[in-house]
């Protein structure tokens, strides 16, 4: 074993190999501990004084190689050397030192990871690259990052160091990361296989302590996070005086509503947040925030885009504040883009251009100018807002990686379809002290389909001239409010604070509160749409034990628990997690766990956590493939080199990799009484259902969905009782998308799901609910 240490004193790497000495307690001179998706640790015992070598210092760089040149460890000393008294000599007391080194992950952990929005719909390799770039891209080479697989949703935690975030991401993708010799690598678990047999070295089967750590399971129940459930449309009637309207259910609430809050307080653009495409230097940070001094005259060439895309779920508010635009400006502000940044791909944004001698802003929707153009006044500053609403909060489904008897598999992923409602508003601000002097609606409309995620280019400058004080993206919740005056046209009510020029807000006690100047007038119908919160859960089963079990062996073995990682944001995610778990929990080989030890394995191929060991002995009738979890390499000071390898292995059910589970579940979750055998056996939810009108006698409903063959839409007065053989609570079944419901009381509740013509019929997973608070007299 060769050890070199660079004490950062200008002398470069110094060979400390001759100073290695055995620890009296362990008789080992060096011990290297490797863990799956963990920083590698190394402990060295050195007799520096006897060899005229300086004691290693804090931040010294340590390289350990085997005699054949294999890199076993590279890293740093985060703390001072530990003196160890070994006795007296004629020169006085004698000491050796022990040093504890941490792999190069330690460098990346020194800088805090900035708080950002979740990462969405990218490969694990791309996500690791993004996290590393946010800390310091100069510290490691990233050519060894494999894509591995697409991750639907990953939320970095700024409270955790880089290594723990990357470890969680690597585990989620069932992959292994490593930092060694300046290289950051990511590869699927098991992609490197080491064949161990009687013909390669000597395998001590007594040390192959394999045990079935867990029983085989074929009936799995998994709970997840709180999820949005019913699609509620609640109807109220104004009287010109009432300002508080009590909602019948508690709307789903967002825990962390701020996705982006950039006030440009740093001296330059923050490249951990922004992707800057500005070869001409037209965008910079100045006294007024972001300064825009032009562009090359081409659409999509000078842009400022967030690195993280935006999930178009629930209610989103895109806002730019203290906007001042000068004459000749041309481009787009606050743009959401589906595809490359360019006007044609702009789903929603503010088009800025010159009209005659005026600078105007006009809403841009799906690449087209819509709504009302607004003329910017010289010397005025503005707030531009875009309210975006989707009835679906989760647009990106998570991916669950698994390894079963048929090899690797991925369950889940993909997107959730949803229409969008859009509202563009502009506030004109006076000069100091920026007093609100009005809010103008420029567009109130919708798009029938939308991408699940969009890139947010706050600036697309063809030739933008001026300043922007800040950009903000928030996700307040799932609510959307629409008013229809008596005999008038429907319009969207703005949710927010009074100073923002909004119409109403939602109080914590479940009241919808209207401000004084926005009180619903007599006969005005107010439709409030929102989602209801409930724990997510799923239960799936297969018949594996019934196939393998003998007489007297129960055909069902159950497991109930909660998934911590990857987060299950809905019952659909829970269902996909169940499939991933069943893929290996019903396989006896997945429960293998044990240890294996041998020496000088580096001469064959150095072994790292995440590698696979294929134990094969025809003589012993033994053949199993296992995943390495920990590797301990211990060296004496002997020559020739002897490195003892102690390996801990476990397959996916013995110690899960891609999913982190716990036995504790939410106390308020209702566990399914029977498992599903066919996952995803549901029709689409009616997330575009609308109440077209309401009178004292009936409600007109449009499902906005083509009914399936021999099926239609079932309406009930109570949820969770749907079925063609259940007449209790049945209100009606309609074979067409537009139908009417007869009213009989002021306050009523109706639940609607789609069904098809199969036997038994399939239904929507969730109900679309209609709650009335409208008098029938």
């Amino acid at each position: 074993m060769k050890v070199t240490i660079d004490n950062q004193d200008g002398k470069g790497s110094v060979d400390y190999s001759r100073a290695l000495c055995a620890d009296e307690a362990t008789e080992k001179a060096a011990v290297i501990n490797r863990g799956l998706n963990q920083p590698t640790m190394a402990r060295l015992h050195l007799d520096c004084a006897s060899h005229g070598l300086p004691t290693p210092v804090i931040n010294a760089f340590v390289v350990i190689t085997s005699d054949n040149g294999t890199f076993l460890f590279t890293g740093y000393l985060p703390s001072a050397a530990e003196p160890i008294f070994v006795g007296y000599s004629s020169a006085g007391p004698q000491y050796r030192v022990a040093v504890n080194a941490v792999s190069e992950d330690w460098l990346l952990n020194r800088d805090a990871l900035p708080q950002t929005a979740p990462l969405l719909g990218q490969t694990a390799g791309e996500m690791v690259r993004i996290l590393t770039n946010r800390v310091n891209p100069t510290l490691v080479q990233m050519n060894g990052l494999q894509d591995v697989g697409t991750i639907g949703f990953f939320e970095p935690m700024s409270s955790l160091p880089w290594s723990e975030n990357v470890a969680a991401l690597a585990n989620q993708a069932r992959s292994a990361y490593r930092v060694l010799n300046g290289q950051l690598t990511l590869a699927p678990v098991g992609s490197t296989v080491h064949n161990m047999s009687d013909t390669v070295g000597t395998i001590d089967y007594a040390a192959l302590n394999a045990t079935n750590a867990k029983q085989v399971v074929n009936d799995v129940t998994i709970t997840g996070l709180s999820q949005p459930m019913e699609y509620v449309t609640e109807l109220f009637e104004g009287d010109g005086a009432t300002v508080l309207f009590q909602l019948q259910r508690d709307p789903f609430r967002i825990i962390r509503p701020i996705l982006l809050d950039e006030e440009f307080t740093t001296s330059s653009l923050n490249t951990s947040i922004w992707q800057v495409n500005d070869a001409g230097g037209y965008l910079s940070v100045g006294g007024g925030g972001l300064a825009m001094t032009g562009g090359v005259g081409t659409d999509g060439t000078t842009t400022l885009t967030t690195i993280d895309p935006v999930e178009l779920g629930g209610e989103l508010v895109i806002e730019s504040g203290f906007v001042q635009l000068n004459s000749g400006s041309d481009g787009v502000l606050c743009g959401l883009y589906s595809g490359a940044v360019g006007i044609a791909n702009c789903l929603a944004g503010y088009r800025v251009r010159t009209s005659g001698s005026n600078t105007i802003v006009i809403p841009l929707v799906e690449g087209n100018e819509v709504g009302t153009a607004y003329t910017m006044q010289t010397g005025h500053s503005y707030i531009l807002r875009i309210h975006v609403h989707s009835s679906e909060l989760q647009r990106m489904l998570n991916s669950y990686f698994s390894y079963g008897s048929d090899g690797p598999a991925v369950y889940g992923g993909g997107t959730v379809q949803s229409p969008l409602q859009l509202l563009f508003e502009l506030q004109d601000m006076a000069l100091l002290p920026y007093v609100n002097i009005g809010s103008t609606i420029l567009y109130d409309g919708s798009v029938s389909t939308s991408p699940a995620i969009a890139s947010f280019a706050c600036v697309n400058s063809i030739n933008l001239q001026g300043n922007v004080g800040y950009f903000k993206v928030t996700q307040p919740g799932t609510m959307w409010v629409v008013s229809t005056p008596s005999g008038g046209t429907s319009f969207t009510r703005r949710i927010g604070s009074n100073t923002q020029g909004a119409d109403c807000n939602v109080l914590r006690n479940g009241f919808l509160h209207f401000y004084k100047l926005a009180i619903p007038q007599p006969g005005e119908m107010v439709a409030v749409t929102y989602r209801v919160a409930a724990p997510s859960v799923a239960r799936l089963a297969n018949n594996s034990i019934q196939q393998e079990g003998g007489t007297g062996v129960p055909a069902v073995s159950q497991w109930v628990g909660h998934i911590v990682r990857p987060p299950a944001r809905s019952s659909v995610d829970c269902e996909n997690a169940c499939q991933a778990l069943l893929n290996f929990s019903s396989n006896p080989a997945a429960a293998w766990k044990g240890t294996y030890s041998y020496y000088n394995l580096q001469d064959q191929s150095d072994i790292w956590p995440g590698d696979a060991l294929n134990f094969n002995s025809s003589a012993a009738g033994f053949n199993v493939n296992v995943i390495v979890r920990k590797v301990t390499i211990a060296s004496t000071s002997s020559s020739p080199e002897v490195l003892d390898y102690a390996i801990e292995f476990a397959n996916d059910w013995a110690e899960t990799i891609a999913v982190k589970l716990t036995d504790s579940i939410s106390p308020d979750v209702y566990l399914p009484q029977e498992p599903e055998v066919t996952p995803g056996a549901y029709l689409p939810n009616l997330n575009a259902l609308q109440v077209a009108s309401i009178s004292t006698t009936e409600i007109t409903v449009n499902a906005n969905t083509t009914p399936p063959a021999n099926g239609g839409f079932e309406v009930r007065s109570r949820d969770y009782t749907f079925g063609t053989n259940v007449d209790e609570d049945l209100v009606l079944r309609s074979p067409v998308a537009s139908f009417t419901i007869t009213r009989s009381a002021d306050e009523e509740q109706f639940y609607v799901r789609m069904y098809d013509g199969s036997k038994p019929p399939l239904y929507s997973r969730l109900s679309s609910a209609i709650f009335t608070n409208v008098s029938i007299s």
Side-chain angles (χ1 to χ4, degrees):
M1 176 179 282
K2 182 178 180 180
V3 177
T4 62
I5 300 178
D6 184 348
N7 286 299
Q8 315 292 348
D9 54 4
K11 297 180 181 179
S13 297
V14 177
D15 192 343
Y16 275 72
S17 304
R18 65 185 185 277
L20 283 171
C21 57
D23 173 51
E24 292 186 0
T26 64
E27 299 183 352
K28 303 298 182 184
V31 177
I32 300 171
N33 289 299
R34 301 167 173 172
L36 179 60
N37 294 324
Q38 297 175 4
T40 301
M41 310 295 290
R43 181 173 175 85
L44 304 174
H45 288 266
L46 302 170
D47 184 0
C48 298
S50 298
H51 296 85
L53 295 171
T55 300
V57 299
I58 295 176
N59 298 339
F61 182 59
V62 179
V63 176
I64 305 175
T65 60
S66 64
D67 287 351
N68 65 7
T70 300
F71 282 93
L72 302 176
F73 173 87
T74 57
Y76 292 84
L77 302 184
S79 58
E82 172 189 338
I84 300 175
F85 177 71
V86 293
Y88 289 92
S89 70
S90 58
Q94 299 297 305
Y95 289 89
R96 296 174 181 173
V97 296
V99 295
N100 296 294
V102 184
S103 57
E104 293 171 78
D105 313 47
W106 176 76
L107 275 183
L108 292 158
N109 284 343
R110 288 171 66 88
D111 290 328
L113 195 69
Q115 185 171 353
T116 59
L119 302 176
L120 303 163
Q122 296 164 300
T123 67
E126 290 172 328
M127 289 183 176
V128 170
R129 188 182 304 274
I130 289 171
L131 295 181
T132 307
N133 284 335
R134 284 182 174 152
V135 173
N136 192 332
T138 66
L139 297 178
V140 291
Q141 298 293 319
M142 291 182 274
N143 298 328
L145 293 177
Q146 298 184 32
D147 287 337
V148 180
T150 299
I151 302 295
F153 178 94
F154 178 79
E155 187 169 14
M157 302 298 293
S158 59
S159 60
L160 299 178
W162 173 90
S163 62
E164 292 190 36
N165 277 283
V166 172
L169 181 53
N171 285 331
Q172 183 168 332
R174 200 177 182 273
S175 58
Y177 93 87
R178 183 188 315 163
V179 186
L180 181 69
N181 194 28
Q183 295 284 338
L184 171 60
T185 60
L186 181 77
V189 163
S191 56
T192 299
V193 180
H194 306 273
N195 291 310
M196 303 293 179
S197 70
D198 297 295
T199 60
V200 180
T202 302
I203 298 176
D204 183 1
Y205 285 105
L208 190 62
N209 184 21
T211 60
N212 286 321
K214 291 182 180 179
Q215 66 174 349
V216 176
V217 166
N218 67 342
D219 186 338
V220 171
T221 300
I222 288 180
T223 65
L225 301 175
S226 177
Q227 67 172 334
M229 291 290 284
E230 295 96 335
Y231 305 81
V232 176
T233 299
E234 190 157 358
L235 304 169
F236 300 95
E237 184 176 9
D239 57 11
T242 301
V243 297
L244 292 175
F245 295 87
Q246 176 70 62
L247 300 174
Q248 295 189 33
R249 303 287 292 275
D250 188 23
F252 187 93
R253 300 183 185 278
I254 305 296
I255 297 176
R256 286 184 290 273
I258 299 176
L259 302 180
L260 172 71
D261 190 1
E262 174 63 283
E263 297 182 352
F264 302 103
T265 57
T266 56
S267 59
S268 60
L269 293 171
N270 187 345
T271 54
S272 69
I273 298 175
W274 300 105
Q275 179 180 338
V276 184
N277 186 12
D278 180 24
Y282 299 107
L283 305 176
S284 62
V285 177
L290 176 69
M292 304 174 294
T293 57
V296 298
T298 305
D299 178 26
T301 303
T302 303
T303 61
L304 186 61
T305 309
T306 55
I307 294 173
D308 301 323
V310 178
E311 187 174 23
L312 301 180
E315 182 193 1
L316 293 170
V317 181
I318 315 294
E319 180 177 306
S320 59
F322 304 124
V323 178
Q324 293 182 322
L325 296 172
N326 301 327
S327 62
S329 288
D330 191 0
V332 180
L333 292 175
C334 295
L336 294 171
Y337 294 86
S338 176
V341 175
I343 291 175
N345 294 328
C346 186
L347 178 68
Y350 276 97
R351 178 75 168 98
V352 181
R353 59 178 175 83
T354 299
S355 177
S357 60
N358 298 319
T359 299
I360 66 168
V361 293
I362 185 168
L364 190 65
V365 175
E366 296 186 300
N368 299 306
E369 294 182 2
V370 297
T372 303
Y374 188 94
T375 301
M376 311 288 277
Q377 302 296 316
T378 303
H380 287 218
S381 61
Y382 300 87
I383 293 178
L384 307 178
R385 269 189 215 97
I386 305 173
H387 299 260
V388 182
H389 177 258
S390 165
S391 56
E392 299 289 351
L393 183 63
Q394 181 187 27
R395 301 296 306 278
M396 294 294 300
L397 297 174
N398 231 330
S399 303
Y400 295 87
F401 292 72
S402 180
Y403 192 95
S405 56
D406 295 328
V410 181
Y411 300 91
T415 62
V416 179
Q417 297 300 311
S418 175
L420 291 182
Q421 282 77 43
L422 299 171
L423 180 71
F424 288 71
E425 66 165 323
L426 177 148
Q427 279 185 275
D428 187 351
M429 312 295 290
L431 297 178
L432 291 174
Y434 295 107
V435 177
N436 176 23
I437 59 173
S439 179
T440 303
I441 302 299
L442 302 183
Y443 178 73
D444 187 353
S446 63
V447 295
S448 58
T449 59
S450 66
I453 58 176
S455 58
F456 175 55
C458 65
V459 173
N460 173 14
S461 179
I462 300 172
N463 183 34
L464 289 172
Q465 306 277 347
N467 296 279
V468 179
Y470 67 85
F471 289 98
K472 182 181 292 186
V473 180
T474 57
Q475 191 178 38
T478 61
M479 294 192 64
W480 196 251
V481 182
V482 175
S483 276
T484 306
S486 179
T489 303
S490 299
F491 65 96
T492 301
R493 294 286 201 163
R494 290 157 293 172
I495 304 173
S497 67
N498 195 16
T499 57
Q500 292 174 326
D503 300 311
C504 56
N505 68 346
V506 183
L507 305 180
R508 281 287 177 181
N509 57 6
F511 280 95
L512 178 65
H513 171 233
F514 282 89
Y515 301 120
K516 184 176 181 180
L517 298 180
I519 298 174
Q521 296 305 298
E524 179 179 328
M525 292 296 172
V526 179
V528 185
T529 59
Y530 59 91
R531 301 290 298 276
V532 176
S536 56
V537 63
R539 180 181 177 185
L540 292 181
N542 60 33
N543 61 353
S544 59
I545 295 179
Q546 189 172 7
Q547 292 174 344
E548 298 175 5
T551 303
V553 177
V556 175
S557 179
Q558 296 184 9
W559 184 87
V560 179
H562 180 82
I563 185 164
V564 178
R565 189 197 68 244
R569 298 191 289 162
S570 64
S571 292
V572 179
D573 278 351
C574 289
E575 193 173 273
N576 291 322
C578 284
Q579 291 187 78
L581 193 58
L582 283 171
N583 187 43
F584 57 76
S585 67
S586 57
N587 178 11
W592 278 92
K593 180 179 181 179
T595 61
Y596 169 70
S597 60
Y598 198 55
Y599 64 90
N600 283 352
L601 292 176
Q602 78 283 356
D603 291 335
Q604 304 171 37
S605 179
D606 191 22
I607 295 177
W608 282 83
D611 292 352
L613 301 182
N614 183 28
F615 292 109
N616 183 13
S617 174
S618 55
F622 191 84
N623 189 346
V624 66
N625 191 277
V626 296
I627 299 301
V628 177
R629 300 306 181 96
K630 293 181 180 179
V631 178
T632 300
I633 305 173
S635 172
T636 65
S637 54
S638 63
S639 180
E641 176 180 66
V642 177
L643 301 182
D644 292 329
Y645 277 72
I647 299 169
E648 297 181 25
F649 62 81
N651 282 347
D652 289 48
W653 188 220
E655 292 181 11
T656 57
I657 301 176
V659 292
K660 182 179 180 181
L661 305 168
T662 176
D663 292 335
S664 61
I665 62 173
S666 174
D668 56 348
V669 66
Y670 179 80
L671 297 178
Q673 298 303 299
E674 295 293 335
E676 294 181 51
V677 178
T678 305
Y682 294 97
L683 297 181
N685 295 320
L686 300 176
N687 59 12
L689 182 142
Q690 290 180 317
V691 175
S693 64
I694 182 171
S695 68
T696 58
T697 58
E698 64 184 20
I699 305 169
T700 302
V701 178
N702 190 344
N704 286 313
T705 301
T706 302
N710 300 316
F713 306 93
E714 187 170 300
V715 182
R716 292 186 174 271
S717 59
R718 191 174 57 156
D719 206 357
Y720 305 111
T721 59
F722 288 85
T724 55
N725 296 325
V726 181
D727 292 331
E728 184 184 6
D729 303 319
L730 176 64
V731 176
L732 62 89
R733 294 190 181 98
S734 171
V736 295
S738 183
F739 52 89
T740 59
I741 302 173
T742 301
R743 299 191 60 204
S744 59
D746 295 349
E747 295 186 5
E748 293 179 297
Q749 295 185 357
F750 301 102
Y751 299 87
V752 187
R753 297 193 192 192
M754 184 163 58
Y755 67 94
D756 67 7
S758 57
K759 304 294 184 182
L762 297 178
Y763 281 81
S764 304
R765 184 187 293 268
L766 301 176
S767 293
S768 292
I770 302 169
F771 298 165
T772 66
N773 300 273
V774 179
S775 173
I776 62 172
S777 59

